[in-house]
C-alpha cells in the first residue's frame, strides 16, 4: 500500500467560510421530537447524525441491506474461494469536502481510515499526460500553474483561445453562476472558449465525467462551479484521499455504531413507500406493513427513490412540487468492472488514472495500491485487483460488448495485463446518478418543501452553497437537519464551504470590467 502523504490529515483551508447553524438549545428540553430519515447514504447519515446528537429520536430507514447508499459495499466470494467486498467503485474524497470529512471525524477524528494518493494523473491515448501533483494549490497560481505545466496547452493553443468567453471561470459566484450559465451545455461552453482539444479531454471533461454525464447534456454552471471549487476557490487543489479499507469497514460500520450509541434506530432492508400530512403538523410515514407518525421527515433518497416515494404520496407537498420531482432525470448507465488478475500490473502504475481517448474507458484504479483488502489478496496470490469505469454509456449499447471493449482498452493502456488470467470479474451496471441537465437548476427541488415537517437531502438537491457530488450530499443532509432543528429551537450544525465567489480580487475586477 502507498504511504500516506501528510496532506491526508490536513484541516480546512484557512479561507474556508464558516456557516453557523441555527441558534438555540444544545439539547432537547422536555419531550424529544421524532424524525424519520429515509435513505442511509451520505445525506441521510449526515441528517441522522446532526439530529441524534441533539437528542432527537431518529429512525433511519434504508431499503438496502447496508448503509452507504451509492457508496455501499457487500460481501462476495471469488472464484478462488476468497471473501471480498464489492461496491460501485472508486470514489475520491477531496480535501474540499469539509462537511463530509466532518461527518467522518465523528468516528475517526484523525481521518486515519483515509490515505492520500500522491497525484491525480490523466492520460490521453495520443500520448499526452497531465499531473496535478506539481501544480501550485494557492489561487490564482493553481489555475495558472496548471496551464503552464500542462502539455495540453501550447503557446499557439493559447493564442487561439477566446479569453472573454473564459472570464466566467475567474469570478464564479454562487448562486449567480446558475443564472448566467445553466442554460448552456458544458460542451458548448468549452467550444466558445476554444480550449485545445487535448485540454478538453485531459482536464475539463474530467469534471463533467465526475457527474457521470455526457458534456453535451451537463449544465455549464456545474462545470464552472467545479473549476471554482478545485482551482480558484480553495488551496486544496485536485489531490484527494481514498479509504484504506472497503467502504463498510472503513466508514459505514463505525458510523452505524456511533448512531446506535446516540439512540438511532437503524432499519436496513426497510424502505419508505410514502408519506402524508398527519393533520397536527406531523407527518405519517408508510413502510411495508406499518404507518408511523413523526414530527419530521428527511427524504434523503436518490432520484429514483425520491420519485417513487413522492409518486406514492399524493397528499404530500403540493401539485407543483410533486411535478418538479417527477421531472427529475438520471444520467445514462455507467459500468464498474472489477477484475482480480493472476499477476501484478507494472510497479509504476498509479493507484488511479483518468483516461481520454480509450473508447468507453474513463478511468482505471489499481486497488491493491491503497485498499487493504485488495492488497492482502494481491500479496497472498501474487496478483492484482484492477477496476475499470465507463460513464455515460449509450442505453442501447450491448453491455457485454462495452465490458469487453473496456478490458481491451485496459490491455492497450497497460500492456502487461494482456496475458493476465482473470481469476474473477464482477460487473456493476447502474443508472441512478442525478443528471444536472442544461436549464434544469431552477426546476430542481431545494431542502425545504411545501410541508415544513418534510425536508430533502442528497446530491440531487439544490443549494446556494458552492458544493458538489458527495459534499453536496453531506451538506444538504446537515441543512435538512438544521431546518428541522430550527423549528424546535435547537442549535444546528455549523457548516463550512469554499468561498461562494472568486477569492482573487484582481480576477474578480477583470471579470467585472468585461461585463461578466
Amino acid at each position: 500500500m502507498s504511504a500516506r502523504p501528510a496532506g491526508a490529515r490536513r484541516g480546512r483551508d484557512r479561507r474556508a467560510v464558516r456557516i453557523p447553524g441555527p441558534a438555540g438549545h444544545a439539547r432537547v428540553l422536555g419531550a424529544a421530537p421524532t424524525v424519520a430519515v429515509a435513505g442511509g447514504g451520505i445525506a441521510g447519515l449526515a441528517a441522522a447524525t446532526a439530529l441524534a446528537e441533539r437528542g432527537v429520536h431518529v429512525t433511519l430507514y434504508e431499503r438496502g441491506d447496508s448503509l452507504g447508499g451509492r457508496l455501499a459495499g457487500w460481501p462476495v466470494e471469488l472464484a478462488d474461494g476468497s471473501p471480498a467486498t464489492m461496491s460501485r467503485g472508486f470514489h475520491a474524497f477531496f480535501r474540499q469536502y469539509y462537511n463530509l470529512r466532518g461527518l467522518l471525524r465523528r468516528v475517526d477524528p484523525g481521518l486515519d481510515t483515509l490515505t492520500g494518493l500522491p497525484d491525480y494523473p490523466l492520460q490521453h491515448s495520443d500520448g499526452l499526460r497531465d499531473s496535478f501533483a506539481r501544480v501550485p494549490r494557492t489561487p490564482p497560481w493553481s489555475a495558472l500553474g496548471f496551464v503552464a505545466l500542462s502539455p495540453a496547452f501550447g503557446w499557439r493553443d493559447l493564442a487561439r483561445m477566446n479569453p472573454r468567453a473564459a472570464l466566467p471561470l475567474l469570478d464564479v459566484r454562487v448562486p449567480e453562476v446558475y443564472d448566467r450559465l445553466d442554460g448552456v451545455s458544458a460542451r458548448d461552453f468549452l467550444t466558445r472558449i476554444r480550449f485545445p482539444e487535448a485540454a478538453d479531454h485531459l482536464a475539463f471533461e474530467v469534471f463533467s465525467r465526475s457527474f457521470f454525464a455526457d458534456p453535451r447534456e451537463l449544465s455549464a454552471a456545474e462545470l464552472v462551479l467545479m473549476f471554482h471549487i478545485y482551482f480558484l476557490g480553495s488551496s486544496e487543489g485536485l489531490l484527494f484521499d481514498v479509504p484504506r479499507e472497503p467502504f463498510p469497514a472503513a466508514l459505514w460500520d463505525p458510523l452505524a455504531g456511533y448512531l446506535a450509541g446516540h439512540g438511532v434506530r437503524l432499519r436496513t432492508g426497510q424502505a419508505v413507500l410514502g408519506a402524508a400530512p398527519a393533520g397536527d403538523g406531523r407527518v405519517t410515514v408508510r413502510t411495508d406493513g406499518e404507518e408511523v407518525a413523526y414530527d419530521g421527515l428527511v427524504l434523503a433518497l436518490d432520484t429514483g427513490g425520491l420519485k417513487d416515494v413522492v409518486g406514492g404520496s399524493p397528499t404530500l407537498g403540493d401539485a407543483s412540487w410533486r411535478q418538479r420531482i417527477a421531472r427529475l432525470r438520471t444520467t445514462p448507465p455507467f459500468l464498474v468492472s472489477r477484475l482480480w488478475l493472476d499477476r501484478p500490473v507494472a510497479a509504476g502504475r498509479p493507484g488511479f488514472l483518468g483516461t481520454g481517448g480509450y473508447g468507453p474507458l474513463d478511468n482505471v484504479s489499481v486497488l491493491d495500491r491503497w485498499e487493504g483488502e485488495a492488497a492482502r489478496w494481491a500479496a497472498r496470490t501474487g496478483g492484482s485487483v484492477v477496476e475499470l469505469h465507463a460513464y455515460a454509456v449509450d442505453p442501447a449499447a450491448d453491455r457485454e460488448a462495452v465490458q469487453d471493449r473496456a478490458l481491451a482498452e485496459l490491455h492497450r493502456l497497460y500492456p502487461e495485463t494482456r496475458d493476465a488470467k482473470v481469476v474473477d470479474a464482477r460487473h456493476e451496471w447502474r443508472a441512478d446518478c442525478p443528471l444536472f441537465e442544461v436549464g434544469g437548476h431552477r426546476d430542481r427541488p431545494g431542502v425545504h418543501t411545501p410541508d415544513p415537517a418534510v425536508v430533502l437531502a442528497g446530491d440531487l438537491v439544490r443549494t446556494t452553497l458552492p458544493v458538489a457530488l458527495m459534499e453536496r450530499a453531506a451538506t444538504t443532509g446537515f441543512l435538512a437537519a438544521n431546518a428541522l432543528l430550527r423549528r424546535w429551537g435547537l442549535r444546528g450544525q455549523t457548516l463550512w464551504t469554499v468561498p461562494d465567489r472568486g477569492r482573487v480580487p484582481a480576477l474578480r475586477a477583470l471579470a467585472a470590467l468585461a461585463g461578466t
Side-chain angles (χ1 to χ4, degrees), residues 189-208:
F189 177 75
L190 295 176
T191 299
R192 291 178 187 176
I193 297 176
R194 297 197 294 269
F195 270 119
E197 183 178 354
D200 275 5
H201 287 299
L202 279 178
F204 287 92
E205 193 160 308
V206 169
F207 293 141
S208 60

Side-chain angles (χ1 to χ4, degrees), residues 169-188:
L169 293 170
L170 305 183
D171 185 20
V172 175
R173 303 182 184 189
V174 182
E176 291 88 345
V177 65
Y178 292 100
D179 296 330
R180 293 159 57 189
L181 292 174
D182 194 52
V184 181
S185 75
R187 168 53 49 213
D188 287 345

Side-chain angles (χ1 to χ4, degrees), residues 65-132:
D65 293 329
S66 58
L67 300 177
R70 278 178 272 148
L71 272 72
W74 57 93
V76 296
E77 183 177 318
L78 304 182
D80 67 353
S82 300
T85 306
M86 187 58 192
S87 71
R88 294 155 50 103
F90 168 89
H91 280 72
F93 288 69
F94 288 98
R95 293 165 193 168
Q96 297 90 340
Y97 289 178
Y98 306 136
N99 299 315
L100 173 57
R101 294 163 83 90
L103 174 65
L104 300 180
R105 287 183 191 277
R106 260 67 170 197
V107 293
D108 181 16
L111 294 181
D112 296 314
T113 56
L114 300 181
T115 184
L117 296 191
D119 196 4
Y120 189 154
L122 308 171
Q123 181 168 320
H124 196 272
S125 60
D126 62 10
L128 288 179
R129 188 179 177 100
D130 249 323
S131 166
F132 290 95

Side-chain angles (χ1 to χ4, degrees), residues 60-359:
L60 188 150
Y61 297 94
E62 165 54 47
R63 65 185 174 188
D65 293 329
S66 58
L67 300 177
R70 278 178 272 148
L71 272 72
W74 57 93
V76 296
E77 183 177 318
L78 304 182
D80 67 353
S82 300
T85 306
M86 187 58 192
S87 71
R88 294 155 50 103
F90 168 89
H91 280 72
F93 288 69
F94 288 98
R95 293 165 193 168
Q96 297 90 340
Y97 289 178
Y98 306 136
N99 299 315
L100 173 57
R101 294 163 83 90
L103 174 65
L104 300 180
R105 287 183 191 277
R106 260 67 170 197
V107 293
D108 181 16
L111 294 181
D112 296 314
T113 56
L114 300 181
T115 184
L117 296 191
D119 196 4
Y120 189 154
L122 308 171
Q123 181 168 320
H124 196 272
S125 60
D126 62 10
L128 288 179
R129 188 179 177 100
D130 249 323
S131 166
F132 290 95
R134 295 184 299 118
V135 174
R137 298 182 196 172
T138 302
W141 311 114
S142 47
L144 296 174
F146 170 68
V147 172
L149 294 171
S150 172
F153 289 92
W155 289 111
R156 291 182 179 179
D157 296 318
L158 292 173
R160 286 194 294 265
M161 287 173 56
N162 179 353
R164 184 180 182 86
L167 287 175
L169 293 170
L170 305 183
D171 185 20
V172 175
R173 303 182 184 189
V174 182
E176 291 88 345
V177 65
Y178 292 100
D179 296 330
R180 293 159 57 189
L181 292 174
D182 194 52
V184 181
S185 75
R187 168 53 49 213
D188 287 345
F189 177 75
L190 295 176
T191 299
R192 291 178 187 176
I193 297 176
R194 297 197 294 269
F195 270 119
E197 183 178 354
D200 275 5
H201 287 299
L202 279 178
F204 287 92
E205 193 160 308
V206 169
F207 293 141
S208 60
R209 293 292 184 175
S210 296
F211 291 100
F212 298 83
D214 187 305
R216 294 170 295 183
E217 289 197 89
L218 177 68
S219 163
E222 295 289 349
L223 178 83
V224 172
L225 176 62
M226 294 283 277
F227 182 85
H228 169 72
I229 291 171
Y230 296 116
F231 282 104
L232 294 182
S234 72
S235 296
E236 281 92 355
L238 266 172
L239 300 184
F240 57 83
D241 304 320
V242 289
R244 288 176 171 270
E245 295 291 343
F247 297 135
L251 309 176
W252 313 134
D253 292 348
L255 196 53
Y258 178 84
L259 290 173
H262 281 74
V264 176
R265 296 190 298 169
L266 300 172
R267 299 286 186 85
T268 55
Q270 189 171 3
V272 169
L273 303 178
D280 54 358
R282 308 179 80 204
V283 59
T284 298
V285 174
R286 175 168 51 88
T287 61
D288 187 14
E290 67 175 11
E291 292 188 0
V292 180
Y294 292 91
D295 296 306
L297 168 63
V298 181
L299 293 175
L301 302 165
D302 63 19
T303 303
L306 180 61
K307 292 171 72 171
D308 287 346
V309 169
V310 174
S313 309
T315 61
L316 192 66
D318 56 33
S320 174
W321 179 79
R322 291 194 298 273
Q323 289 167 6
R324 289 166 61 198
I325 300 296
R327 287 194 294 267
L328 293 174
R329 296 174 58 198
T330 55
T331 58
F334 66 91
L335 166 68
V336 174
S337 289
R338 190 171 298 181
L339 312 172
W340 287 263
L341 305 180
D342 71 344
R343 63 196 65 188
V345 299
R349 303 303 186 194
F352 174 85
L353 178 69
T355 60
Y358 288 91

